[in-house]
Amino acid sequence: MDLASFARSLEALEERALSSVAAAASPDDLARVDAEILGRKGELRELLGGIGALPTEDRPRVGALANPIRERLEAAIAARREDLELAAVEARLAAEALDVTLPARPLHRGSLHPIRETEREISRIFGQFGFVVVESPEVETDELNFQALNIPEDHPARDLWDTIYLREPTERPAGAPRRLFRTHTSPGQIRAMRASTPPIRILTPGRCFRYEAVDASHAFEFFQVEGLMIDEGTSMADLRGLLDAFAHAMFGAGRPTRFRPGYYPFTEPSVAFDIGCVVCDGSGCPACGRSGWMTILGAGMVHPVVLRNGGIDPERYQGFAFGMGTDRITMLRHAIRDIRAFLANDLRFLERL
Amino acid sequence: MRVPLSWLREHVEIQLSPEQLADRLTLLGMEVQGIERIGAQWEHVVVGEILEVAPHPGSNRLSLTRIRTGEGSERSIVCGATNIAPGQRIPVALPGSVLPGDRRIEVTRIAGVESAGMLCSGAELGLTVDADGILILPAETPIGVALPDLLGDVVLDVDVKPNRGDALCIVGLAREVAAATGAPLRRPEIVVAESGDRTEDHLAVSVEDPRCSRFVGRWLDGVRVGPSPLEIQRRLMAAGMRPVSNVVDASNYVMLELGKPIHTFDAEAVHEGRIVVRAARPGERIETLDHVERELDPEVLLIADPAGPLAIAGVMGGASSEVGPGTTSVIVESAIFDPVAIRRSAFRYALRSEASLRFEKGQEHALARTGADRTAQLILAWAGGRAAVGVVDTDPAEPAPIRVAFRSGRVNRLLGTSLPDADQRELLARVEVTTESAPAGTPIPVLPGEPPVASAPEDQVWIATIPGHRRDLVIEADLAEEIARVRGYDALLGRLPSTIMPAYREDPWRFTDELRHLISGRGFSEVVTHALIGPEDHRRLGLALDDAETIRAENPVTLDHSELRRDLLPSLVHVLADNERQRRDEIAIFEIGERHRLALGEPHAERRLGVLAAGAIDPAGWDEPARQAGIGELKALVAWLADRLGEARVRFLPAEPRPGIDHPGRTAQVTVEGPEGTIVIGTVGELDPRYLAAMEIRAGQVAWADLSVAALQTLVPGRRRIGLPSRQPSVERDLAVVVPETLPAGRVEAVIRAAAGPSLGALRLFDRYRGAPLAPGEVSLAWRLRIDPGDGPPDDSAIDSLIGAVVASLHDELGARIRS
């Protein structure tokens, strides 16, 4: 064999190889072609193994002939590989195409109860002013629920609270106060006062019980949040400012507010706190009894008797308390017309929040 | 209290519209809860004159009348009443009017004769209860006047607070209006035209019980019992009272006008004219005005005569001495009773009345005499007769007025104002409270019923003299309220507190809120259910109906809500049942709430987290089937929760099922190994189908968990040390452990964890296989161990020896072999 025929063999190899590369239909195909031509036992290597048949002086020139061919083949294989990979990705993507307008897979929504969320919102707002939640028991004594709050036995003000009492399983010891389901969260105030010293800023939220016929605005189990602030100079003006801030945070900055005189045995002076009707914005509607105002809470300066019963000197200290129905605040906030919805737990209702 | 404006106007001039007046009263603390217009339905009802009453040609029960309702306006109207006569003035409903009860008046033919309207009775107008005949108006009533202009009224519904018994009457509210507007109060002019012999010639009163502090009696004779004047009936009706007779109406009128409950007796029925106020005696009985025979408790205060009980004091009179049509002589009782005694009597007999309500709030001493005189005056005016001279009065001495010292500075400190002393005094003067300067150091009544507290030398002290009717003004704070109230709260400017902040306190809701947000984020809906559940709910939990630890209500609203729940489960199952009824059967709910019991006689509440799931927990989509809620789903939730809260790893152990409630093969106790031993978190499982059936649940499989919130909270570390992860990648090794099927997988897991030690990052069971080539009764548990190699250079041999130690432990402790 002479160099010229060797060169022709190389050229023939290249031609055949290029057409095999071009014909490779998949990366696997191409890898096989690659191995057949450029591999350790490939055709090129085999051809170059025949170099011994050449005259000695021609042998060094084989490299100059074969290397460009090898490079061209390598480049062709690389190019082909890239094309094939691209095509494969495109084919895969095409195959994976979905109708993205299909509805999302349903996940259970989950929700938080509106009463709890309103409690939290109330506590968050008053928390900004240093008030902290203190919880207290639902089963209370007549002493803490009434007497310590300046509501003695047989006081006409007891009419304000229809009470559910505990059925005592055994005779109570003489002098032990009657036990009941708390009618308001106010006994928490007495507990908090007895457990700490001024300055005091607390919220006592929770479930309350009253002997009430159930209708759209009355329930025998309901929720209240009560606030108490006591210091040396805490005044009605502070109460007014704080409640205004609360009403504006809860019901919007422009909401009008007013104090009007009220009556509670445990506060003196006592006030009712009204906001402009959230339904009609003050123009008068059935929801506000056409008055344009809605009462959202009762408040006042803690009665000296209550301070004394809480172990606090009423000459040195003074402060205010306020109490609101969490149910009512929630109803106003979320336009709910029936208090019974809260304990009914219809998921269609709950899943709105 | 219902307040007819026409009546109120008699005692104070009012320039305001009803709405403006309502606002003023409300801002004064006398909340007006409604405004009713009487006569709003009297459109086209006018005053007419009867010109002629002729027999009806077609009926002998009817009359044909000719009526004049104005100049040149005559009409024929058929009428069935018999009390009509020519010359009378009567209300005529013209065609087009719509009377109360939606009664439409048109021109009609009655028994063949045309009738152009209707002559009205008081009842048909909704004005009086008297339906006996046509309402005959006074002879001087102008003809043609629209009836609303004549008899219409506006009635305010005023909510008088329990501390203001003095305002529970027309004059009391007129006094408030006067304070608000500055118009003078017009008290009724009370003059009794007495004649003949003296009251004590007919009446003797002895008070034998200290619960009656004053009894004023009057005696009248020659009285003719009959209906009250029309205007009086109208007023009483408008105020919500039923007219009875002139004598009874007089006592009711005085109660509404002055707030003084009065009782009248037929004097003939009072033996020997002797009245005794005393406690009831054992075995005594009385038939009260409502014709109910009542046994009297010895605690009850009575009005009696020598023959026995006449009335339950302050609550209700007796039938035997009731004033009736034949009564000619009358004893008027105007007494002051102990408020508590009356309240107890009224409650004892479930006879709370307008009268007892006023006695309960306490009565001004002077009102006893005023009320007796006013009643006598009105009886004389309406029923004629003669009032004997003078009164019988068991305590004629007027008590000295109450004087309350207050510091103007403290008033300002309480209110957050800087009102000058002169302003404070002027505001009090508007409600008839006079003030005078007091020497420095004058003691101040801070607490009611306790010795006053010395004031500081620099305090300006005033002494307020309280009018007798204001029994609510007792201490300094009461005067502060009165000053603020009369001034009006609109004038009180708010400010934010600028005092010292209290010490830091942990928010108790922080942890429960974290739980709520975590669980709801997993698709569960928070519910809030009744704390009171029914005895049947407890019985189904296996608790006896008389279980000593259950807290029960003495007077529940309904039996279904009469016991404090011992467990959250029944409430959650009820929520499921209710929602199933709404065709909602995929449910995942939770509640954080208390379970209650009596422990050693004391109530004990424990906060629990209850979770319940039924139906698809992952709902079916178009490409995936639903996954049904079971114990597995809730175990996953609980394990995840513990991990999130404090990287805690829960263990599930077989738990003792409650028979008929828990699924016996699917109930697990949840525990965590803590540094101080095992913490029991709660229980997770499924419910027994028999329990579900009893609770009317449709779902066949319901999973639930009951966890202790306090135990969960112990999982949260105070301050969590996180550090940094290893620089080396984690290493994964799989081990297929062959054990007997009866061996709990939890044991295998525990052995692996113990042998692998702290470098075991995660352990996951990824396959559970039974069948060939395993022997029957064998199971292969395939675990993937994720090992944290530490920070040193990679060391395969260390990993290998760790795996070797695990394999050895599995073999030694459980006899397990490794399947390769």
Side-chain angles (χ1 to χ4, degrees):
Chain A
M1 182 150 49
D2 61 5
L3 190 61
S5 66
F6 192 80
R8 277 196 302 280
S9 299
L10 276 174
E11 280 160 19
L13 174 66
E14 182 182 13
E15 198 174 319
R16 218 170 43 249
L18 284 174
S19 70
S20 295
V21 167
S26 68
D28 283 352
D29 234 6
L30 186 66
R32 190 178 40 75
V33 171
D34 187 1
E36 280 168 9
I37 298 163
L38 298 177
R40 265 193 308 141
K41 292 179 179 166
E43 288 182 46
L44 184 60
R45 220 169 259 213
E46 198 178 321
L47 191 62
L48 293 176
I51 194 172
L54 288 177
T56 311
E57 65 276 15
D58 287 343
R59 288 181 193 168
R61 295 168 64 188
V62 169
L65 283 174
N67 285 344
I69 289 172
R70 181 197 300 275
E71 281 163 18
R72 281 198 297 278
L73 286 175
E74 280 173 352
I77 288 169
R80 182 65 187 156
R81 183 177 291 124
E82 206 168 296
D83 288 350
L84 285 174
E85 281 173 357
L86 188 64
V89 168
E90 280 171 354
R92 183 187 140 195
L93 292 176
E96 285 175 355
L98 289 180
D99 176 358
V100 296
T101 67
L102 282 163
R105 185 176 307 144
L107 290 178
H108 269 319
R109 181 183 186 280
S111 55
L112 293 166
H113 196 279
I115 288 285
R116 296 274 177 253
E117 283 304 274
T118 299
E119 275 181 342
R120 267 49 181 185
E121 180 67 1
I122 293 167
S123 106
R124 191 190 65 75
I125 294 168
F126 285 105
Q128 301 274 320
F129 300 100
F131 286 75
V132 168
V133 166
V134 178
E135 294 180 304
S136 67
E138 292 169 7
V139 177
E140 270 292 1
T141 60
D142 189 274
E143 198 261 326
L144 283 183
N145 194 78
F146 288 124
Q147 294 163 41
L149 292 162
N150 197 29
I151 316 163
E153 292 264 17
D154 298 308
H155 192 283
R158 286 221 176 187
D159 293 351
L160 300 174
W161 301 274
D162 289 314
T163 309
I164 302 177
Y165 288 93
L166 210 73
R167 186 195 301 168
E168 293 295 349
T170 54
E171 192 82 10
R172 293 280 282 164
R178 208 171 166 190
R179 293 191 290 196
L180 44 78
F181 298 87
R182 67 173 171 193
T183 60
H184 45 193
T185 46
S186 312
Q189 291 183 15
I190 299 285
R191 290 176 178 275
M193 282 191 270
R194 289 180 182 173
S196 54
T197 52
I200 294 173
R201 295 186 197 189
I202 56 153
L203 296 173
T204 60
R207 187 192 299 263
C208 305
F209 304 81
R210 282 188 201 168
Y211 189 89
E212 294 252 22
V214 176
D215 64 23
S217 44
H218 296 89
F220 57 84
E221 280 186 34
F222 58 99
F223 298 84
Q224 277 193 344
V225 177
E226 194 129 332
L228 175 72
M229 172 165 173
I230 294 171
D231 202 348
E232 291 185 357
T234 299
S235 70
M236 287 290 274
D238 296 328
L239 174 65
R240 178 80 210 251
L242 188 72
L243 292 184
D244 277 351
F246 166 71
H248 293 153
M250 182 63 87
F251 295 107
R255 180 97 9 222
T257 65
R258 74 175 184 187
F259 266 24
R260 60 184 172 82
Y263 169 72
Y264 306 100
F266 32 83
T267 48
E268 188 76 30
S270 302
V271 290
F273 182 61
D274 296 350
I275 60 170
C277 177
V278 299
V279 177
C280 65
D281 278 325
S283 58
C285 69
C288 58
R290 312 211 177 275
S291 70
W293 295 96
M294 290 180 145
T295 303
I296 60 164
L297 57 82
M301 299 298 290
V302 182
H303 197 286
V305 166
V306 177
L307 288 173
R308 194 263 324 265
N309 292 343
I312 289 173
D313 176 8
E315 256 299 86
R316 178 169 173 198
Y317 293 106
Q318 58 184 41
F320 56 71
F322 56 85
M324 65 188 99
T326 315
D327 308 76
R328 176 159 172 81
I329 301 288
T330 312
M331 289 165 81
L332 296 180
R333 193 176 172 215
H334 296 300
I336 299 163
R337 287 195 314 273
D338 195 325
I339 193 171
R340 289 169 289 198
F342 295 128
L343 293 181
N345 293 300
D346 187 322
L347 283 166
R348 294 170 297 179
F349 168 77
L350 295 180
E351 288 181 349
R352 299 295 307 278
L353 198 66
Chain B
M1 176 178 175
R2 288 172 58 88
V3 182
L5 267 191
S6 63
W7 196 351
L8 190 63
R9 283 206 158 93
E10 197 167 292
H11 297 289
V12 67
E13 187 175 321
I14 298 168
Q15 307 268 4
L16 307 165
S17 72
E19 285 73 18
Q20 289 170 323
L21 178 66
D23 268 356
R24 293 291 283 274
L25 281 172
T26 296
L27 291 178
L28 212 55
M30 303 291 156
E31 187 187 357
V32 176
Q33 296 183 322
I35 302 176
E36 184 192 322
R37 288 182 157 77
I38 292 178
Q41 286 173 293
W42 297 344
E43 211 183 333
H44 308 305
V45 182
V46 299
V47 175
E49 181 188 17
I50 302 178
L51 298 177
E52 188 189 330
V53 181
H56 188 288
S59 165
N60 51 16
R61 288 185 301 105
L62 298 173
S63 311
L64 183 57
T65 65
R66 202 152 54 79
I67 304 292
R68 186 165 71 95
T69 53
E71 214 47 52
S73 155
E74 288 181 17
R75 58 185 65 233
S76 292
I77 295 177
V78 174
C79 180
T82 54
N83 67 330
I84 47 174
Q88 288 173 338
R89 309 279 155 101
I90 38 78
V92 182
L94 301 176
S97 51
V98 182
L99 294 181
D102 207 23
R103 185 165 181 187
R104 289 164 189 283
I105 307 302
E106 305 290 354
V107 179
T108 54
R109 297 186 75 80
I110 299 174
V113 177
E114 188 181 90
S115 178
M118 186 178 84
L119 310 191
C120 304
S121 70
E124 282 160 339
L125 294 168
L127 194 62
T128 66
V129 289
D130 170 29
D132 293 348
I134 300 306
L135 181 65
I136 310 300
L137 301 168
E140 65 279 11
T141 312
I143 293 162
V145 168
L147 200 67
D149 295 343
L150 190 71
L151 296 180
D153 209 339
V154 175
V155 180
L156 303 184
D157 182 12
V158 184
D159 177 31
V160 177
K161 305 293 187 222
N163 63 331
R164 289 299 305 274
D166 66 291
L168 205 53
C169 61
I170 302 293
V171 168
L173 285 167
R175 191 184 275 124
E176 290 292 315
V177 174
T181 63
L185 173 69
R186 291 192 290 259
R187 292 182 174 82
E189 269 180 49
I190 302 176
V191 185
V192 186
E194 304 167 332
S195 60
D197 50 10
R198 300 188 59 80
T199 301
E200 53 258 44
D201 297 338
H202 301 277
L203 176 65
V205 176
S206 63
V207 174
E208 296 175 358
D209 192 300
R211 291 176 294 176
C212 173
S213 57
R214 188 179 188 185
F215 190 115
V216 178
R218 271 196 175 271
W219 193 87
L220 298 93
D221 64 2
V223 167
R224 287 178 310 279
V225 174
S228 297
L230 173 67
E231 171 61 10
I232 299 308
Q233 289 195 41
R234 192 194 65 76
R235 280 191 185 177
L236 289 173
M237 295 270 299
M241 291 211 88
R242 193 174 167 275
V244 179
S245 69
N246 44 18
V247 174
V248 175
D249 290 354
S251 61
N252 284 335
Y253 192 92
V254 170
M255 178 175 72
L256 294 175
E257 183 187 61
L258 299 175
K260 180 75 205 85
I262 302 285
H263 190 66
T264 50
F265 299 90
D266 185 331
E268 303 281 324
V270 177
H271 292 81
E272 304 165 28
R274 283 173 53 199
I275 282 180
V276 186
V277 185
R278 61 169 172 83
R281 298 182 182 129
E284 275 190 315
R285 302 173 72 84
I286 187 173
E287 185 192 343
T288 40
L289 282 177
D290 53 0
H291 301 293
V292 175
E293 176 91 10
R294 295 172 194 274
E295 182 114 15
L296 292 169
D297 184 279
E299 207 201 27
V300 169
L301 189 63
L302 283 189
I303 311 297
D305 69 7
L310 291 173
I312 301 174
V315 174
M316 192 177 263
S320 66
S321 56
E322 181 178 8
V323 171
T327 300
T328 56
S329 54
V330 172
I331 292 170
V332 174
E333 166 213 313
S334 178
I336 311 282
F337 300 115
D338 171 42
V340 170
I342 303 307
R343 185 175 164 88
R344 286 194 182 159
S345 291
F347 269 98
R348 181 182 304 275
Y349 298 110
L351 281 177
R352 298 191 77 199
S353 61
E354 290 289 324
S356 73
L357 217 59
R358 285 168 173 82
F359 278 120
E360 281 178 29
K361 293 175 168 60
Q363 298 246 296
E364 180 188 1
H365 188 83
L367 213 45
R369 176 64 197 261
T370 321
D373 289 354
R374 181 64 168 158
T375 310
Q377 177 188 14
L378 295 179
I379 292 175
L380 290 177
W382 302 342
R386 167 191 80 100
V389 174
V391 294
V392 169
D393 190 341
T394 63
D395 185 13
E398 282 300 319
I402 304 285
R403 290 153 61 85
V404 178
F406 72 98
R407 293 159 292 188
S408 49
R410 183 74 200 260
V411 168
N412 278 326
R413 177 150 77 99
L414 278 169
L415 301 180
T417 52
S418 46
L419 291 172
D421 288 25
D423 291 11
Q424 296 190 17
R425 299 179 63 202
E426 191 274 324
L427 290 164
L428 289 175
R430 281 202 233 165
V431 285
E432 303 169 32
V433 175
T434 57
T435 47
E436 62 193 281
S437 182
T442 299
I444 306 295
V446 172
L447 291 160
E450 295 202 7
V453 179
S455 55
E458 65 274 19
D459 287 332
Q460 171 65 57
V461 181
W462 298 93
I463 299 222
T465 301
I466 310 299
H469 59 272
R470 289 303 300 273
R471 296 164 43 88
D472 61 313
L473 302 180
V474 178
I475 55 170
E476 185 179 52
D478 295 331
L479 293 171
E481 170 164 70
E482 203 56 12
I483 288 166
R485 182 180 82 91
V486 176
R487 178 172 177 244
Y489 281 106
D490 281 351
L492 179 69
L493 298 180
R495 62 176 185 225
L496 285 177
S498 58
T499 49
I500 308 161
M501 287 285 284
Y504 176 78
R505 227 201 254 243
E506 184 72 35
D507 178 0
W509 281 350
R510 188 176 143 190
F511 177 66
T512 46
D513 278 353
E514 184 174 0
L515 283 181
R516 295 171 60 241
H517 286 116
L518 284 172
I519 300 169
S520 71
R522 279 277 165 190
F524 288 76
S525 285
E526 183 180 31
V527 298
V528 174
T529 61
H530 281 285
L532 288 168
I533 63 176
E536 194 58 13
D537 292 320
H538 280 140
R539 192 188 59 76
R540 290 205 185 99
L541 286 181
L543 295 166
L545 284 173
D546 60 350
D547 191 285
E549 290 193 0
T550 301
I551 300 175
R552 298 180 179 83
E554 177 66 44
N555 55 332
V557 175
T558 85
L559 190 63
D560 286 346
H561 299 284
S562 61
E563 301 184 349
L564 275 183
R565 59 181 170 193
R566 302 279 300 276
D567 197 303
L568 266 55
L569 180 63
S571 311
L572 295 179
V573 173
H574 284 311
V575 172
L576 170 61
D578 292 345
N579 278 282
E580 280 187 340
R581 269 179 226 117
Q582 306 299 333
R583 300 285 177 274
R584 167 75 180 248
D585 46 17
E586 297 173 354
I587 279 169
I589 55 174
F590 73 100
E591 175 170 22
I592 295 175
E594 285 72 36
R595 68 178 185 196
H596 301 261
R597 67 191 172 91
L598 279 176
L600 299 172
E602 288 305 311
H604 181 82
E606 187 195 351
R607 186 158 290 172
R608 307 291 293 187
L609 164 61
V611 186
L612 184 134
I617 200 153
D618 280 337
W622 58 271
D623 58 344
E624 276 202 353
R627 203 152 53 85
Q628 296 300 315
I631 183 175
E633 280 62 39
L634 291 197
K635 278 171 64 186
L637 178 78
V638 172
W640 169 80
L641 198 57
D643 193 15
R644 276 295 297 263
L645 291 174
E647 293 179 275
R649 199 167 51 240
V650 296
R651 287 180 66 185
F652 299 101
L653 300 168
E656 194 60 44
R658 291 170 293 183
I661 301 164
D662 298 315
H663 189 307
R666 295 190 173 187
T667 302
Q669 187 183 52
V670 187
T671 62
V672 166
E673 294 307 321
E676 276 126 45
T678 305
I679 304 164
V680 177
I681 305 290
T683 313
V684 58
E686 290 176 18
L687 294 170
D688 189 306
R690 287 163 294 185
Y691 181 71
L692 297 178
M695 298 292 276
E696 297 176 8
I697 297 300
R698 283 207 298 261
Q701 178 170 305
V702 177
W704 72 286
D706 170 39
L707 310 172
S708 157
V709 172
L712 286 169
Q713 192 158 12
T714 62
L715 305 181
V716 181
R719 191 168 62 88
R720 200 178 287 196
R721 299 178 64 87
I722 296 177
L724 290 172
S726 164
R727 285 192 210 96
Q728 307 295 335
S730 299
V731 176
E732 281 184 356
R733 293 290 176 88
D734 292 351
L735 279 181
V737 184
V738 178
V739 290
E741 263 185 275
T742 49
L743 184 76
R747 294 274 309 277
V748 178
E749 180 183 350
V751 169
I752 296 174
R753 288 190 187 279
S759 57
L760 181 64
L763 177 66
R764 187 162 69 83
L765 180 72
F766 66 91
D767 190 32
R768 188 166 186 271
Y769 175 75
R770 275 174 294 196
L774 301 180
E778 280 190 331
V779 63
S780 165
L781 302 172
W783 303 87
R784 180 156 295 160
L785 290 74
R786 198 176 169 86
I787 296 156
D788 176 358
D791 276 338
D795 182 359
D796 278 354
S797 65
I799 305 281
D800 289 343
S801 66
L802 185 141
I803 293 297
V806 169
V807 169
S809 289
L810 285 168
H811 178 265
D812 295 349
E813 294 179 32
L814 303 175
R817 64 189 164 83
I818 303 302
R819 183 166 159 251
S820 38

